[in-house]
Amino acid sequence: MLIDFHAHVFLDKLAAGAVSSLAQKAGLTPFADGTVSGTKKLMAEQGVDRFVSLNIAVAPRTQKNVNEFAVSLLQDEMIIPFGSVHPDSEDALTELERLRDAGIRGIKFHNEYQNFYVDDEKAFPIYEKCTELGLIMLFHGGADRGFAPPVKTAPFRMRKVANRFPEAKIVVAHLGGQAMEEEAVDQLADTNVWVDTSFAAMCVSAEKGEEVIRAFGEDRVLFGTDCPWDTPVHTVQWLESMTFSKQVLDKVYYENALKLLGERK
């Protein structure tokens, strides 16, 4: 079984423009077209059984539409959609309740696109509400190729959130900090956060990746690709070039995801 905990899809009418714009901004080449059908086809061909679709409310005015799209994906058995809220939205807290009641199980934050530092206390009521509702919070971790420093979700900032909300279900993408892996280990390995492997196969050596995974522990690492920016096959190859046993890889591939989602195989 294989669960990709970090992928992105868009409404069909928006997918081409969104993928093209993001690719140009970050200097990346997409491996999928960003549509639901195109992404599902790629995932199925490359052995993925289910994947988490991450949506981002880049501004308060986009929050409703982003989340309506997320809710619409609940009917697809292959997709586990996450919603998103913006800290400047007046109804962010009630939106979290609506999403939870609809069946959404997680919230995506990308602090660069949403333009706030992860440890800005204006977002703390949202984190508290997510914790109360049992919603997973998945944060972009570390740098982003499309944005200049300072990094809004640097590991030292993420640590403040983790320490403030020890009961929260927190996932920090990109091994805890894209282009900041060593700081991620120093700042986050001893906290409550989980990490995913999204995009790591594109920019982190297998040797360094294995060090990071061992530092966080086999029970807190989730398989993720960041599709359309990487593929399941490439990420699996990267992981299997390491020295982990099949038992450990199975935890990364799906067991940890099921545990975090509160499911059984």
Side-chain angles (χ1 to χ4, degrees):
M1 189 175 188
L2 188 60
I3 298 175
D4 187 336
F5 216 86
H6 192 127
H8 304 279
V9 296
F10 308 90
L11 281 167
D12 283 0
K13 66 181 181 180
L14 302 176
V19 170
S20 175
S21 175
L22 291 167
Q24 183 177 16
K25 183 176 180 65
L28 300 173
T29 300
F31 294 90
D33 64 6
T35 65
V36 173
S37 60
T39 303
K40 287 179 62 178
K41 182 175 184 292
L42 174 69
M43 292 289 185
E45 289 174 348
Q46 298 197 10
V48 173
D49 297 279
R50 300 167 70 195
F51 65 91
V52 174
S53 169
L54 300 173
N55 304 278
I56 305 167
V58 298
R61 62 180 173 78
T62 68
Q63 179 177 278
K64 181 178 179 181
N65 289 338
V66 163
N67 289 329
E68 287 302 315
F69 177 53
V71 170
S72 75
L73 296 175
L74 285 166
Q75 61 190 334
D76 194 310
E77 293 183 355
M78 191 179 192
I79 303 176
I80 305 164
F82 277 22
S84 186
V85 295
H86 197 283
D88 293 334
S89 171
E90 293 181 355
D91 60 350
L93 300 184
T94 56
E95 182 71 351
L96 290 173
E97 293 180 348
R98 184 180 79 87
L99 290 171
R100 191 278 310 269
D101 292 344
I104 295 293
R105 287 183 279 179
I107 303 298
K108 171 64 188 291
F109 299 94
H110 194 307
N111 296 77
E112 302 295 345
Y113 281 100
Q114 294 180 303
N115 195 30
F116 74 99
Y117 287 96
V118 70
D119 56 347
D120 188 329
E121 293 198 6
K122 73 177 182 181
F124 282 14
I126 292 175
Y127 304 158
E128 183 175 9
K129 190 69 171 180
C130 285
T131 305
E132 174 191 325
L133 296 174
L135 291 167
I136 300 164
M137 294 185 281
L138 194 151
F139 295 87
H140 171 90
D144 186 292
R145 296 186 180 197
F147 293 85
V151 174
K152 290 183 171 59
T153 316
F156 83 92
R157 293 186 182 276
M158 195 73 245
R159 181 180 182 86
K160 296 177 185 177
V161 176
N163 288 340
R164 180 70 174 266
F165 301 95
E167 302 302 317
K169 299 175 182 178
I170 297 173
V171 179
V172 187
H174 314 301
L175 292 181
Q178 189 168 303
M180 306 177 80
E181 295 84 19
E182 291 187 9
E183 183 182 336
V185 169
D186 291 341
Q187 293 289 330
L188 299 174
D190 65 344
T191 70
N192 60 322
V193 308
W194 302 53
V195 296
D196 73 29
T197 64
S198 57
F199 203 69
M202 298 293 283
C203 55
V204 179
S205 70
E207 181 181 12
K208 174 56 70 175
E210 182 168 347
E211 289 179 10
V212 175
I213 291 170
R214 290 190 183 281
F216 278 93
E218 63 194 55
D219 296 320
R220 290 194 292 147
V221 180
L222 303 159
F223 179 84
T225 62
D226 209 7
C227 184
W229 313 116
D230 200 359
T231 63
V233 164
H234 184 233
T235 306
V236 167
Q237 290 173 341
W238 179 73
L239 285 163
E240 294 193 349
S241 72
M242 301 176 190
T243 64
F244 294 118
S245 66
K246 181 181 183 301
Q247 181 181 14
V248 170
L249 289 175
D250 281 347
K251 288 185 178 184
V252 175
Y253 288 154
Y254 71 92
E255 290 177 5
N256 291 340
L258 292 177
K259 179 181 178 182
L260 187 58
L261 292 165
E263 296 185 14
R264 294 182 179 181
K265 184 177 178 181

